[in-house]
Amino acid sequence: MATDRIYGFDAIRAVSVMLVIASHVGIVEGARNPALVEFFSVFNASFGVRCFFVLSGFLITTLLLKEYEGTGRIDLKAFMIRRALRILPLYFLVLLSLWPYFEAGRFWQPIDTATYAVLFAYNFIPNELNVHYLSHLWSLGVEEQFYIVWPFVFGLLAAKRMHLIWLCLGIVALCAARMYIGYGDAELTHAPNRWTIPAIYPIALGAALAILIKDETYGRTTAIVSSPLALVSGFLLIALPLLDADFPLVDIIGAVGISLCIGWIYTNQQSIAVKALEFRPLAYLGTISYGLYMWQGVLTGNGPQRQLLNFPPDPATGALLTLPVAVISWHCFERPILRLRSWMTPRLRPAE
C-alpha cells in the first residue's frame, strides 16, 4: 500500500468504543424496544472488545510481517519501545489521576488492587479486589501480555509461516475447549470471562488472518477474503446469536465473522464502501478511541455499581465528560508523546 494508513479501521475502533460506552451507561441493558433488544444482544460491549482484539492481532502481526520481509529479522527492542510509547503513558496517567483516592484510603484494598493494575494483570484479579471503575483494565492486561509474548514467538517461527498459522488455530481450539467445558469453581472467586483464555482467541484469529493475507504462498486467501461472499459470510456469522443465542461457542464464531469483515476492509481499500467509513467525525473518534476507552471506564464506573460515595459520577454524566477529556488527552498528552517514536525508536537496517 502507498500509505501506512488503513482506511476503515478507525471506524471499527469508533463503533467498538461507542458500544462499550453505551453498555456501561445502561443504554444496552435498558433497551425496551424489541428490535433494539435484538440488536444489542449482538452489538454490545463484548462485541466491541472482541473487535479491538481481532484488530490488534491483525495489525501487530501485519507490522511484524512487514518488518521481517524488509529486514529479515524482528527488532524486539524497537517493537517494545513503539508499544510502550503508545500504551504506557496514558495508562499510567489514568492510574495517577486516581492517586488522591488511593491516598485517602477510600480505595478498596489499595495496595493489592493497584499492584494488579500496575503490573497489567487486572485480567486475573480476584473478585474481592476488583473495583468497577478499573475493571476495563483487564483488556489492557491481555494486550500487554500479547505484546510481550507474540513478537518472540513470531521471531522464532517467522520463516515457517504455516507453523505460525497452526499455532494460532491451535490456540483458538484450546480456548474453545476450555470455554465449552466451563471454569467450574473459579467463577466463585474470579471473573474467568476476563482471563486470557476468552480474550486471546480473537487476537489469534486476527494474527492468522494477517499471515494468510500477507504471505504470497497463500495467494488464494486474499482473493477469497476480498470477495463479497466473505463480507456477507462475516455478517452472517456475527449475527448468528439472532438465530440461536445458545449455539455452542457462538462468541468464537462471531470473532471469525469479525475477522472476515476486517480482512474484507483491508483488501478493498479503494472501494466506495471502505472510503465511506472514513467519515471524518467517525474516523476521529477512532483515532482517539484508546483515550475514550481508558477514560470512560474511570468516569462512568463501567456500569451502575458505585463503591465510593461521590466517585465516579453517575454513568450519564461520566459519559458526557469522557469525550472532552479524551480529546484533551489526545491533543495535549498522547499525540505529543507519539511523535517521540520517530527518533526514540531505533532505525531498522536490512539484514546483511
Side-chain angles (χ1 to χ4, degrees), residues 6-9 11 264-279:
I6 302 174
Y7 299 134
F9 280 11
W264 187 89
I265 291 172
Y266 182 80
T267 55
N268 287 276
Q269 288 288 284
Q270 301 306 314
S271 74
I272 295 175
V274 172
K275 291 294 182 64
L277 294 176
E278 287 296 295
F279 179 58

Side-chain angles (χ1 to χ4, degrees), residues 183-240:
Y183 299 97
D185 292 340
E187 295 183 356
L188 300 176
T189 57
H190 293 75
N193 62 316
R194 292 174 180 166
W195 284 357
T196 302
I197 291 173
I200 200 66
Y201 70 81
I203 294 177
L205 286 170
L209 177 67
I211 297 169
L212 287 168
I213 289 177
K214 295 292 287 184
D215 197 318
E216 295 180 0
T217 306
Y218 312 103
R220 292 182 179 179
T221 304
T222 302
I224 294 172
V225 172
S226 63
S227 69
L229 179 61
L231 183 63
V232 172
S233 299
F235 278 121
L236 290 176
L237 293 177
I238 290 170
L240 181 60

Side-chain angles (χ1 to χ4, degrees), residues 32-313:
R32 294 294 178 265
N33 181 283
L36 283 178
V37 171
E38 288 292 309
F39 177 83
F40 286 133
S41 69
V42 176
F43 300 100
N44 47 42
S46 178
F47 175 83
V49 172
R50 284 202 304 275
C51 285
F52 276 121
F53 283 141
V54 174
L55 201 57
S56 179
F58 181 84
L59 286 172
I60 293 302
T61 305
T62 298
L63 290 174
L64 291 172
L65 284 165
K66 182 178 179 180
E67 180 178 343
Y68 186 81
E69 291 169 356
T71 68
R73 68 181 188 275
I74 301 298
D75 189 327
L76 296 174
K77 180 180 178 181
F79 176 88
M80 296 301 176
I81 290 175
R82 290 194 298 269
R83 288 294 88 202
L85 287 173
R86 182 65 190 106
I87 301 298
L88 301 188
L90 178 60
Y91 185 91
F92 287 109
L93 176 66
V94 170
L95 292 182
L96 286 173
S97 73
L98 295 168
W99 190 254
Y101 294 92
F102 300 172
E103 287 294 305
R106 300 170 63 191
F107 189 84
W108 286 10
Q109 304 291 337
I111 301 300
D112 293 337
T113 300
T115 299
Y116 275 94
V118 169
L119 295 180
F120 287 93
Y122 214 90
N123 50 321
F124 296 114
I125 196 167
N127 292 334
E128 63 182 11
L129 298 180
N130 178 46
V131 291
H132 290 286
Y133 55 84
L134 290 182
S135 60
H136 61 305
L137 298 185
W138 76 272
S139 62
L140 272 298
V142 175
E143 288 282 359
E144 283 302 301
Q145 292 153 25
F146 166 63
Y147 295 149
I148 291 172
V149 174
W150 183 239
F152 287 97
V153 174
F154 184 94
L156 290 173
L157 299 176
K160 301 176 181 178
R161 305 292 171 80
M162 201 62 202
H163 289 61
L164 282 171
I165 293 172
W166 283 115
L167 174 62
C168 291
L169 296 180
I171 290 172
V172 175
L174 288 173
C175 291
R178 191 67 178 90
M179 293 167 67
Y180 186 78
I181 294 170
Y183 299 97
D185 292 340
E187 295 183 356
L188 300 176
T189 57
H190 293 75
N193 62 316
R194 292 174 180 166
W195 284 357
T196 302
I197 291 173
I200 200 66
Y201 70 81
I203 294 177
L205 286 170
L209 177 67
I211 297 169
L212 287 168
I213 289 177
K214 295 292 287 184
D215 197 318
E216 295 180 0
T217 306
Y218 312 103
R220 292 182 179 179
T221 304
T222 302
I224 294 172
V225 172
S226 63
S227 69
L229 179 61
L231 183 63
V232 172
S233 299
F235 278 121
L236 290 176
L237 293 177
I238 290 170
L240 181 60
L242 297 177
L243 303 176
D244 186 357
D246 296 323
F247 194 87
L249 303 173
V250 68
D251 287 345
I252 290 183
I253 294 172
V256 174
I258 294 169
S259 300
L260 287 174
C261 292
I262 287 175
W264 187 89
I265 291 172
Y266 182 80
T267 55
N268 287 276
Q269 288 288 284
Q270 301 306 314
S271 74
I272 295 175
V274 172
K275 291 294 182 64
L277 294 176
E278 287 296 295
F279 179 58
R280 285 193 176 185
L282 192 63
Y284 179 75
L285 289 177
T287 300
I288 65 171
S289 59
Y290 178 42
L292 287 170
Y293 183 77
M294 289 297 295
W295 291 112
Q296 63 81 30
V298 170
L299 295 172
T300 69
N302 287 313
Q305 305 90 348
R306 288 295 177 272
Q307 291 165 307
L308 302 178
L309 184 60
N310 298 314
F311 183 85

